[in-house]
Structures are given as C-alpha cells and as structure tokens.
Amino acid sequence: MPGRTALAADDALGALARELRALPPSCGPVRLVAVDGHAGSGKTTFAGRLAGALGGAPVVHLDDLATHAEPFGWTGRLRGQVLEPLAAGRDAAYQVYDWTLRRFAGTAVAPVAPVVLVEGVGAGRRGVRPWLARVIWMELAAEDARRRGEERDGPALAEFWAGWARAESAHFAADPSRPYAGTRVDGVTGRIAPGTVGEPSTTP
C-alpha cells in the first residue's frame, strides 16, 4: 500500500494538473506550460509524471530542437514548427535532431490539446514566455544537477558536459527563467513546493 508521502505527492500533482487545466489558454486553444531548470534537474521525469496526471498531455522535448552547434538557438524552430501551428489550432509537426548523427532526422507531432508541455533548459526563456500559461522550475543547484547528469551519462560525455555547463551558465545569466516560475518543484524529491507563485509567466 502506498505510503503517506507518495499519496501526498500524487495529490499535489493532481491538484497542479487541475490548476493548469483551469488556466486561460495561452497559445491559441492550448495552455502551454514550460518545465525548465538546469540540465540534470529532473525536468524530463517530472514532465512525464505531469503529462500522465493530465491524462496524456503532449510533451515537446527541447533536446529534439537544440543542436550541438546551437544548444540555445532553437527559439525560431520552436516558434515556427510548434507554437505558431498550435496557436492556429493545428497539430504541430516538428523536426527532431539526432545527437548521434548530428543532424535533423525524423519528425515528431505535438497535437492540439488542452495542455501541452514544453520541457528543457530554457523552456521559460524570454522569447517563449508570451506563449506560456505557466513556467514550472525544477529546484536543483546547477552544480548538483551537473553532477547528477555526469553520473547518469558516464565519463564518455564529460567533455560535452563541460561545454554544456558554460553555455547553460551564460544563457541563464542573460535570460533567467526562475524568477518567472509560478510553480517550483524539488529536483531531488519531485515534490511541488506549496505556495510557489512567482511573476506572471507572460511578463517579458
């Protein structure tokens, strides 16, 4: 039988899902929700849990839009291939980057839905916020998130992580997302912090 902590976490996740569904649409008929935080902070895991609580909400992973050459140069692709179609009430089909082949190979679809999640580092950035109904921030310090990511990926990707850490630090210094988060989540436990209301997600 699940423990009280697990039940409390499920209750909080369900409450968040209901809250997100009740928000005004922000991207055409869609409530677009960003799940942001440092690489290794638990964004993908939490986005998957939240998508399930929302009844199978589509999730757009920014790793599919970023590239080796432009780790944060995906805003135009996101806008043209995902945001604009959804805003027009159409399903979005977007190109997916293959990190092994180092080129775009294949496509993915984000159908129109009451809530669509955009998950990845920088999802709550300035250029995306006008389309967002909510920014969710994963609370985990950059050094702890990097340590977790390096342990997950192994020594073969140590050089990649070093370069990534520099790019991520520069990005958040110039364009922070955390101050605009209406919901904050513990990156270790996945618990939603009560009463975490930041600036409105649509603030430039």
Side-chain angles (χ1 to χ4, degrees):
M1 195 173 172
R4 290 183 179 179
T5 301
L7 289 173
D10 289 344
D11 288 347
L13 193 63
L16 176 60
R18 290 190 294 273
E19 181 183 345
L20 296 178
R21 288 193 198 98
L23 293 174
S26 60
C27 182
V30 172
R31 295 147 187 87
L32 193 70
V33 175
V35 181
D36 203 340
H38 298 288
S41 63
K43 296 180 303 300
T44 304
T45 298
F46 182 78
R49 290 177 56 219
L50 181 56
L54 287 162
V59 182
V60 177
H61 299 285
L62 291 177
D63 282 352
D64 290 341
L65 295 168
T67 68
H68 284 88
E70 296 180 313
F72 291 98
W74 42 259
T75 309
R77 287 187 286 276
L78 179 69
R79 182 183 298 116
Q81 298 180 36
V82 178
L83 305 184
E84 291 176 354
L86 291 178
R90 303 192 310 270
D91 293 350
Y94 55 95
Q95 292 181 299
V96 174
Y97 185 74
D98 188 308
W99 289 85
T100 301
L101 298 177
R102 291 177 171 259
R103 61 180 174 83
F104 286 95
T107 59
V109 175
V112 173
V115 180
V116 175
L117 306 179
V118 179
E119 172 273 320
V121 180
R125 73 192 307 176
R126 186 181 301 114
V128 181
R129 284 199 295 274
W131 307 81
L132 296 175
R134 174 68 58 85
V135 175
I136 297 173
W137 177 263
M138 303 300 296
E139 292 278 23
L140 190 64
E143 58 271 21
D144 295 330
R146 178 180 175 181
R147 188 179 308 112
R148 177 195 279 180
E150 288 176 330
E151 290 172 355
R152 178 192 64 200
D153 295 340
L157 291 180
E159 184 177 349
F160 170 82
W161 268 98
W164 172 264
R166 290 191 294 270
E168 181 187 271
S169 178
H171 166 73
F172 281 132
D175 191 356
S177 302
R178 187 178 183 274
Y180 302 97
T183 301
R184 293 178 185 165
V185 179
D186 189 300
V188 175
T189 66
R191 294 177 182 169
I192 300 165
T196 52
V197 180
E199 296 296 322
S201 298
T202 53
T203 300

